[in-house]
PDB file of all heavy atoms in Angstrom:
ATOM      1  N   PRO A 181       0.822  -1.213   0.000  1.00  0.00           N
ATOM      2  CA  PRO A 181       0.000   0.000   0.000  1.00  0.00           C
ATOM      3  C   PRO A 181       0.855   1.262   0.000  1.00  0.00           C
ATOM      4  O   PRO A 181       1.795   1.380   0.749  1.00  0.00           O
ATOM      5  CB  PRO A 181      -0.817  -0.093   1.283  1.00  0.00           C
ATOM      6  CG  PRO A 181      -0.323  -1.267   2.032  1.00  0.00           C
ATOM      7  CD  PRO A 181       0.648  -2.005   1.191  1.00  0.00           C
ATOM      8  N   GLY A 182       0.507   2.184  -0.887  1.00  0.00           N
ATOM      9  CA  GLY A 182       1.113   3.502  -0.903  1.00  0.00           C
ATOM     10  C   GLY A 182       2.501   3.582  -1.488  1.00  0.00           C
ATOM     11  O   GLY A 182       3.058   4.661  -1.566  1.00  0.00           O
ATOM     12  N   GLY A 183       3.079   2.474  -1.875  1.00  0.00           N
ATOM     13  CA  GLY A 183       4.428   2.522  -2.444  1.00  0.00           C
ATOM     14  C   GLY A 183       4.396   3.122  -3.832  1.00  0.00           C
ATOM     15  O   GLY A 183       3.405   3.033  -4.540  1.00  0.00           O
ATOM     16  N   PRO A 184       5.477   3.780  -4.244  1.00  0.00           N
ATOM     17  CA  PRO A 184       5.486   4.378  -5.576  1.00  0.00           C
ATOM     18  C   PRO A 184       5.386   3.312  -6.654  1.00  0.00           C
ATOM     19  O   PRO A 184       6.043   2.284  -6.569  1.00  0.00           O
ATOM     20  CB  PRO A 184       6.839   5.100  -5.632  1.00  0.00           C
ATOM     21  CG  PRO A 184       7.671   4.449  -4.581  1.00  0.00           C
ATOM     22  CD  PRO A 184       6.722   3.939  -3.545  1.00  0.00           C
ATOM     23  N   GLY A 185       4.562   3.566  -7.630  1.00  0.00           N
ATOM     24  CA  GLY A 185       4.403   2.644  -8.751  1.00  0.00           C
ATOM     25  C   GLY A 185       3.627   1.402  -8.423  1.00  0.00           C
ATOM     26  O   GLY A 185       3.659   0.442  -9.159  1.00  0.00           O
ATOM     27  N   THR A 186       2.928   1.405  -7.296  1.00  0.00           N
ATOM     28  CA  THR A 186       2.154   0.217  -6.938  1.00  0.00           C
ATOM     29  C   THR A 186       0.707   0.402  -7.351  1.00  0.00           C
ATOM     30  O   THR A 186       0.281   1.497  -7.703  1.00  0.00           O
ATOM     31  CB  THR A 186       2.202  -0.025  -5.410  1.00  0.00           C
ATOM     32  OG1 THR A 186       1.552   1.066  -4.780  1.00  0.00           O
ATOM     33  CG2 THR A 186       3.619  -0.166  -4.916  1.00  0.00           C
ATOM     34  N   LEU A 187      -0.026  -0.678  -7.266  1.00  0.00           N
ATOM     35  CA  LEU A 187      -1.444  -0.607  -7.618  1.00  0.00           C
ATOM     36  C   LEU A 187      -2.193   0.322  -6.680  1.00  0.00           C
ATOM     37  O   LEU A 187      -3.113   1.015  -7.073  1.00  0.00           O
ATOM     38  CB  LEU A 187      -2.063  -2.010  -7.557  1.00  0.00           C
ATOM     39  CG  LEU A 187      -1.593  -2.978  -8.632  1.00  0.00           C
ATOM     40  CD1 LEU A 187      -2.200  -4.353  -8.381  1.00  0.00           C
ATOM     41  CD2 LEU A 187      -1.950  -2.485 -10.009  1.00  0.00           C
ATOM     42  N   LEU A 188      -1.784   0.313  -5.408  1.00  0.00           N
ATOM     43  CA  LEU A 188      -2.455   1.170  -4.444  1.00  0.00           C
ATOM     44  C   LEU A 188      -1.777   2.533  -4.339  1.00  0.00           C
ATOM     45  O   LEU A 188      -2.223   3.388  -3.594  1.00  0.00           O
ATOM     46  CB  LEU A 188      -2.484   0.507  -3.066  1.00  0.00           C
ATOM     47  CG  LEU A 188      -3.338  -0.747  -2.961  1.00  0.00           C
ATOM     48  CD1 LEU A 188      -3.260  -1.301  -1.547  1.00  0.00           C
ATOM     49  CD2 LEU A 188      -4.769  -0.477  -3.353  1.00  0.00           C
ATOM     50  N   GLY A 189      -0.684   2.716  -5.064  1.00  0.00           N
ATOM     51  CA  GLY A 189       0.033   3.973  -4.984  1.00  0.00           C
ATOM     52  C   GLY A 189      -0.777   5.143  -5.512  1.00  0.00           C
ATOM     53  O   GLY A 189      -0.510   6.295  -5.191  1.00  0.00           O
ATOM     54  N   THR A 190      -1.797   4.896  -6.308  1.00  0.00           N
ATOM     55  CA  THR A 190      -2.626   5.962  -6.843  1.00  0.00           C
ATOM     56  C   THR A 190      -3.754   6.342  -5.904  1.00  0.00           C
ATOM     57  O   THR A 190      -4.436   7.319  -6.121  1.00  0.00           O
ATOM     58  CB  THR A 190      -3.226   5.531  -8.186  1.00  0.00           C
ATOM     59  OG1 THR A 190      -3.976   4.350  -7.984  1.00  0.00           O
ATOM     60  CG2 THR A 190      -2.130   5.285  -9.211  1.00  0.00           C
ATOM     61  N   VAL A 191      -3.956   5.565  -4.853  1.00  0.00           N
ATOM     62  CA  VAL A 191      -5.008   5.855  -3.883  1.00  0.00           C
ATOM     63  C   VAL A 191      -4.486   6.914  -2.927  1.00  0.00           C
ATOM     64  O   VAL A 191      -3.353   6.834  -2.466  1.00  0.00           O
ATOM     65  CB  VAL A 191      -5.383   4.566  -3.114  1.00  0.00           C
ATOM     66  CG1 VAL A 191      -6.411   4.868  -2.047  1.00  0.00           C
ATOM     67  CG2 VAL A 191      -5.894   3.529  -4.073  1.00  0.00           C
ATOM     68  N   PRO A 192      -5.281   7.906  -2.601  1.00  0.00           N
ATOM     69  CA  PRO A 192      -4.823   8.918  -1.653  1.00  0.00           C
ATOM     70  C   PRO A 192      -4.455   8.276  -0.324  1.00  0.00           C
ATOM     71  O   PRO A 192      -5.085   7.319   0.117  1.00  0.00           O
ATOM     72  CB  PRO A 192      -6.035   9.843  -1.487  1.00  0.00           C
ATOM     73  CG  PRO A 192      -6.938   9.541  -2.633  1.00  0.00           C
ATOM     74  CD  PRO A 192      -6.623   8.175  -3.104  1.00  0.00           C
ATOM     75  N   ALA A 193      -3.408   8.805   0.312  1.00  0.00           N
ATOM     76  CA  ALA A 193      -2.910   8.218   1.553  1.00  0.00           C
ATOM     77  C   ALA A 193      -3.982   8.213   2.638  1.00  0.00           C
ATOM     78  O   ALA A 193      -4.061   7.273   3.425  1.00  0.00           O
ATOM     79  CB  ALA A 193      -1.678   8.983   2.026  1.00  0.00           C
ATOM     80  N   ASN A 194      -4.819   9.268   2.695  1.00  0.00           N
ATOM     81  CA  ASN A 194      -5.838   9.311   3.740  1.00  0.00           C
ATOM     82  C   ASN A 194      -6.940   8.284   3.506  1.00  0.00           C
ATOM     83  O   ASN A 194      -7.641   7.897   4.413  1.00  0.00           O
ATOM     84  CB  ASN A 194      -6.422  10.716   3.883  1.00  0.00           C
ATOM     85  CG  ASN A 194      -7.103  11.178   2.605  1.00  0.00           C
ATOM     86  OD1 ASN A 194      -7.075  10.481   1.593  1.00  0.00           O
ATOM     87  ND2 ASN A 194      -7.699  12.364   2.646  1.00  0.00           N
ATOM     88  N   ALA A 195      -7.083   7.808   2.283  1.00  0.00           N
ATOM     89  CA  ALA A 195      -8.116   6.808   2.001  1.00  0.00           C
ATOM     90  C   ALA A 195      -7.751   5.469   2.615  1.00  0.00           C
ATOM     91  O   ALA A 195      -8.623   4.689   2.981  1.00  0.00           O
ATOM     92  CB  ALA A 195      -8.315   6.650   0.499  1.00  0.00           C
ATOM     93  N   LEU A 196      -6.452   5.184   2.734  1.00  0.00           N
ATOM     94  CA  LEU A 196      -6.047   3.917   3.328  1.00  0.00           C
ATOM     95  C   LEU A 196      -6.346   3.880   4.820  1.00  0.00           C
ATOM     96  O   LEU A 196      -6.434   2.825   5.413  1.00  0.00           O
ATOM     97  CB  LEU A 196      -4.553   3.680   3.090  1.00  0.00           C
ATOM     98  CG  LEU A 196      -4.186   3.407   1.645  1.00  0.00           C
ATOM     99  CD1 LEU A 196      -2.668   3.313   1.505  1.00  0.00           C
ATOM    100  CD2 LEU A 196      -4.833   2.138   1.142  1.00  0.00           C
ATOM    101  N   ALA A 197      -6.506   5.025   5.412  1.00  0.00           N
ATOM    102  CA  ALA A 197      -6.815   5.074   6.835  1.00  0.00           C
ATOM    103  C   ALA A 197      -8.319   5.049   7.086  1.00  0.00           C
ATOM    104  O   ALA A 197      -8.768   5.211   8.198  1.00  0.00           O
ATOM    105  CB  ALA A 197      -6.211   6.328   7.447  1.00  0.00           C
ATOM    106  N   ALA A 198      -9.112   4.870   6.037  1.00  0.00           N
ATOM    107  CA  ALA A 198     -10.568   4.857   6.180  1.00  0.00           C
ATOM    108  C   ALA A 198     -10.988   3.688   7.047  1.00  0.00           C
ATOM    109  O   ALA A 198     -10.302   2.682   7.131  1.00  0.00           O
ATOM    110  CB  ALA A 198     -11.216   4.744   4.804  1.00  0.00           C
ATOM    111  N   PRO A 199     -12.136   3.783   7.695  1.00  0.00           N
ATOM    112  CA  PRO A 199     -12.597   2.682   8.548  1.00  0.00           C
ATOM    113  C   PRO A 199     -12.885   1.441   7.710  1.00  0.00           C
ATOM    114  O   PRO A 199     -13.158   1.538   6.523  1.00  0.00           O
ATOM    115  CB  PRO A 199     -13.879   3.229   9.180  1.00  0.00           C
ATOM    116  CG  PRO A 199     -14.315   4.331   8.282  1.00  0.00           C
ATOM    117  CD  PRO A 199     -13.084   4.885   7.655  1.00  0.00           C
ATOM    118  N   PRO A 200     -12.822   0.272   8.326  1.00  0.00           N
ATOM    119  CA  PRO A 200     -13.081  -0.960   7.583  1.00  0.00           C
ATOM    120  C   PRO A 200     -14.491  -1.002   7.030  1.00  0.00           C
ATOM    121  O   PRO A 200     -15.398  -0.360   7.560  1.00  0.00           O
ATOM    122  CB  PRO A 200     -12.888  -2.066   8.617  1.00  0.00           C
ATOM    123  CG  PRO A 200     -12.254  -1.439   9.804  1.00  0.00           C
ATOM    124  CD  PRO A 200     -12.470   0.034   9.708  1.00  0.00           C
ATOM    125  N   ALA A 201     -14.640  -1.766   5.974  1.00  0.00           N
ATOM    126  CA  ALA A 201     -15.950  -1.921   5.344  1.00  0.00           C
ATOM    127  C   ALA A 201     -16.898  -2.600   6.314  1.00  0.00           C
ATOM    128  O   ALA A 201     -16.490  -3.403   7.144  1.00  0.00           O
ATOM    129  CB  ALA A 201     -15.824  -2.747   4.072  1.00  0.00           C
ATOM    130  N   PRO A 202     -18.202  -2.301   6.207  1.00  0.00           N
ATOM    131  CA  PRO A 202     -19.168  -2.959   7.086  1.00  0.00           C
ATOM    132  C   PRO A 202     -19.120  -4.469   6.893  1.00  0.00           C
ATOM    133  O   PRO A 202     -18.995  -4.962   5.782  1.00  0.00           O
ATOM    134  CB  PRO A 202     -20.513  -2.405   6.629  1.00  0.00           C
ATOM    135  CG  PRO A 202     -20.213  -1.226   5.763  1.00  0.00           C
ATOM    136  CD  PRO A 202     -18.814  -1.371   5.284  1.00  0.00           C
ATOM    137  N   GLY A 203     -19.162  -5.191   7.994  1.00  0.00           N
ATOM    138  CA  GLY A 203     -19.164  -6.653   7.915  1.00  0.00           C
ATOM    139  C   GLY A 203     -17.765  -7.244   7.901  1.00  0.00           C
ATOM    140  O   GLY A 203     -17.612  -8.447   7.973  1.00  0.00           O
ATOM    141  N   ALA A 204     -16.706  -6.429   7.782  1.00  0.00           N
ATOM    142  CA  ALA A 204     -15.347  -6.971   7.776  1.00  0.00           C
ATOM    143  C   ALA A 204     -14.961  -7.298   9.209  1.00  0.00           C
ATOM    144  O   ALA A 204     -15.015  -6.447  10.076  1.00  0.00           O
ATOM    145  CB  ALA A 204     -14.389  -5.956   7.190  1.00  0.00           C
ATOM    146  N   GLN A 205     -14.581  -8.531   9.453  1.00  0.00           N
ATOM    147  CA  GLN A 205     -14.233  -8.954  10.798  1.00  0.00           C
ATOM    148  C   GLN A 205     -12.965  -9.776  10.748  1.00  0.00           C
ATOM    149  O   GLN A 205     -12.513 -10.193   9.693  1.00  0.00           O
ATOM    150  CB  GLN A 205     -15.354  -9.799  11.392  1.00  0.00           C
ATOM    151  CG  GLN A 205     -16.658  -9.039  11.517  1.00  0.00           C
ATOM    152  CD  GLN A 205     -17.780  -9.959  11.962  1.00  0.00           C
ATOM    153  OE1 GLN A 205     -17.589 -11.132  12.133  1.00  0.00           O
ATOM    154  NE2 GLN A 205     -18.950  -9.389  12.162  1.00  0.00           N
ATOM    155  N   GLY A 206     -12.399 -10.026  11.897  1.00  0.00           N
ATOM    156  CA  GLY A 206     -11.252 -10.914  11.993  1.00  0.00           C
ATOM    157  C   GLY A 206     -10.028 -10.348  11.297  1.00  0.00           C
ATOM    158  O   GLY A 206      -9.706  -9.171  11.424  1.00  0.00           O
ATOM    159  N   LEU A 207      -9.360 -11.188  10.565  1.00  0.00           N
ATOM    160  CA  LEU A 207      -8.111 -10.805   9.926  1.00  0.00           C
ATOM    161  C   LEU A 207      -8.287  -9.746   8.852  1.00  0.00           C
ATOM    162  O   LEU A 207      -7.397  -8.949   8.603  1.00  0.00           O
ATOM    163  CB  LEU A 207      -7.446 -12.034   9.299  1.00  0.00           C
ATOM    164  CG  LEU A 207      -6.997 -13.117  10.269  1.00  0.00           C
ATOM    165  CD1 LEU A 207      -6.503 -14.327   9.502  1.00  0.00           C
ATOM    166  CD2 LEU A 207      -5.925 -12.593  11.188  1.00  0.00           C
ATOM    167  N   LEU A 208      -9.425  -9.731   8.187  1.00  0.00           N
ATOM    168  CA  LEU A 208      -9.624  -8.809   7.076  1.00  0.00           C
ATOM    169  C   LEU A 208     -10.033  -7.417   7.523  1.00  0.00           C
ATOM    170  O   LEU A 208     -10.044  -6.499   6.720  1.00  0.00           O
ATOM    171  CB  LEU A 208     -10.678  -9.360   6.112  1.00  0.00           C
ATOM    172  CG  LEU A 208     -10.313 -10.654   5.402  1.00  0.00           C
ATOM    173  CD1 LEU A 208     -11.455 -11.103   4.513  1.00  0.00           C
ATOM    174  CD2 LEU A 208      -9.054 -10.498   4.590  1.00  0.00           C
ATOM    175  N   ALA A 209     -10.344  -7.242   8.779  1.00  0.00           N
ATOM    176  CA  ALA A 209     -10.854  -5.951   9.232  1.00  0.00           C
ATOM    177  C   ALA A 209      -9.870  -4.828   8.930  1.00  0.00           C
ATOM    178  O   ALA A 209     -10.263  -3.757   8.493  1.00  0.00           O
ATOM    179  CB  ALA A 209     -11.159  -5.992  10.717  1.00  0.00           C
ATOM    180  N   GLY A 210      -8.593  -5.035   9.145  1.00  0.00           N
ATOM    181  CA  GLY A 210      -7.610  -3.994   8.876  1.00  0.00           C
ATOM    182  C   GLY A 210      -7.268  -3.853   7.406  1.00  0.00           C
ATOM    183  O   GLY A 210      -6.643  -2.885   6.998  1.00  0.00           O
ATOM    184  N   LEU A 211      -7.648  -4.815   6.592  1.00  0.00           N
ATOM    185  CA  LEU A 211      -7.295  -4.790   5.178  1.00  0.00           C
ATOM    186  C   LEU A 211      -8.381  -4.216   4.288  1.00  0.00           C
ATOM    187  O   LEU A 211      -8.140  -3.947   3.125  1.00  0.00           O
ATOM    188  CB  LEU A 211      -6.982  -6.213   4.690  1.00  0.00           C
ATOM    189  CG  LEU A 211      -5.765  -6.876   5.319  1.00  0.00           C
ATOM    190  CD1 LEU A 211      -5.667  -8.318   4.830  1.00  0.00           C
ATOM    191  CD2 LEU A 211      -4.505  -6.119   4.994  1.00  0.00           C
ATOM    192  N   LEU A 212      -9.584  -4.058   4.806  1.00  0.00           N
ATOM    193  CA  LEU A 212     -10.706  -3.647   3.981  1.00  0.00           C
ATOM    194  C   LEU A 212     -11.103  -2.199   4.240  1.00  0.00           C
ATOM    195  O   LEU A 212     -11.899  -1.916   5.119  1.00  0.00           O
ATOM    196  CB  LEU A 212     -11.926  -4.550   4.252  1.00  0.00           C
ATOM    197  CG  LEU A 212     -11.836  -5.972   3.759  1.00  0.00           C
ATOM    198  CD1 LEU A 212     -13.049  -6.752   4.218  1.00  0.00           C
ATOM    199  CD2 LEU A 212     -11.705  -6.038   2.262  1.00  0.00           C
ATOM    200  N   PRO A 213     -10.542  -1.254   3.501  1.00  0.00           N
ATOM    201  CA  PRO A 213     -11.027   0.111   3.621  1.00  0.00           C
ATOM    202  C   PRO A 213     -12.407   0.214   2.984  1.00  0.00           C
ATOM    203  O   PRO A 213     -12.859  -0.697   2.302  1.00  0.00           O
ATOM    204  CB  PRO A 213      -9.995   0.930   2.875  1.00  0.00           C
ATOM    205  CG  PRO A 213      -9.292  -0.022   2.013  1.00  0.00           C
ATOM    206  CD  PRO A 213      -9.451  -1.389   2.596  1.00  0.00           C
ATOM    207  N   ALA A 214     -13.052   1.336   3.191  1.00  0.00           N
ATOM    208  CA  ALA A 214     -14.388   1.532   2.634  1.00  0.00           C
ATOM    209  C   ALA A 214     -14.343   1.382   1.124  1.00  0.00           C
ATOM    210  O   ALA A 214     -13.420   1.846   0.463  1.00  0.00           O
ATOM    211  CB  ALA A 214     -14.907   2.906   3.016  1.00  0.00           C
ATOM    212  N   VAL A 215     -15.332   0.688   0.564  1.00  0.00           N
ATOM    213  CA  VAL A 215     -15.384   0.456  -0.875  1.00  0.00           C
ATOM    214  C   VAL A 215     -15.482   1.768  -1.631  1.00  0.00           C
ATOM    215  O   VAL A 215     -14.991   1.893  -2.754  1.00  0.00           O
ATOM    216  CB  VAL A 215     -16.568  -0.484  -1.223  1.00  0.00           C
ATOM    217  CG1 VAL A 215     -16.722  -0.632  -2.710  1.00  0.00           C
ATOM    218  CG2 VAL A 215     -16.381  -1.831  -0.570  1.00  0.00           C
ATOM    219  N   GLY A 216     -16.061   2.795  -1.012  1.00  0.00           N
ATOM    220  CA  GLY A 216     -16.231   4.079  -1.677  1.00  0.00           C
ATOM    221  C   GLY A 216     -14.922   4.697  -2.121  1.00  0.00           C
ATOM    222  O   GLY A 216     -14.887   5.463  -3.082  1.00  0.00           O
ATOM    223  N   MET A 217     -13.825   4.376  -1.488  1.00  0.00           N
ATOM    224  CA  MET A 217     -12.550   4.967  -1.887  1.00  0.00           C
ATOM    225  C   MET A 217     -12.080   4.446  -3.231  1.00  0.00           C
ATOM    226  O   MET A 217     -11.227   5.028  -3.864  1.00  0.00           O
ATOM    227  CB  MET A 217     -11.478   4.725  -0.828  1.00  0.00           C
ATOM    228  CG  MET A 217     -11.014   3.308  -0.728  1.00  0.00           C
ATOM    229  SD  MET A 217      -9.732   3.152   0.503  1.00  0.00           S
ATOM    230  CE  MET A 217      -8.371   2.738  -0.552  1.00  0.00           C
TER     231      MET A 217
END
């Protein structure tokens, strides 16, 4: 996430800090930002 030239590098940095998507639990909770981003 956020590295130059990466797939997620085009996503704004503040979007990665968005709360997890509804229903995301367990291990995926920290990996699932809001789909709206």
Side-chain angles (χ1 to χ4, degrees):
T186 65
L187 291 175
L188 293 179
T190 58
V191 177
N194 61 356
L196 291 175
Q205 298 174 358
L207 296 174
L208 296 178
L211 295 175
L212 290 175
V215 175
M217 71 178 247

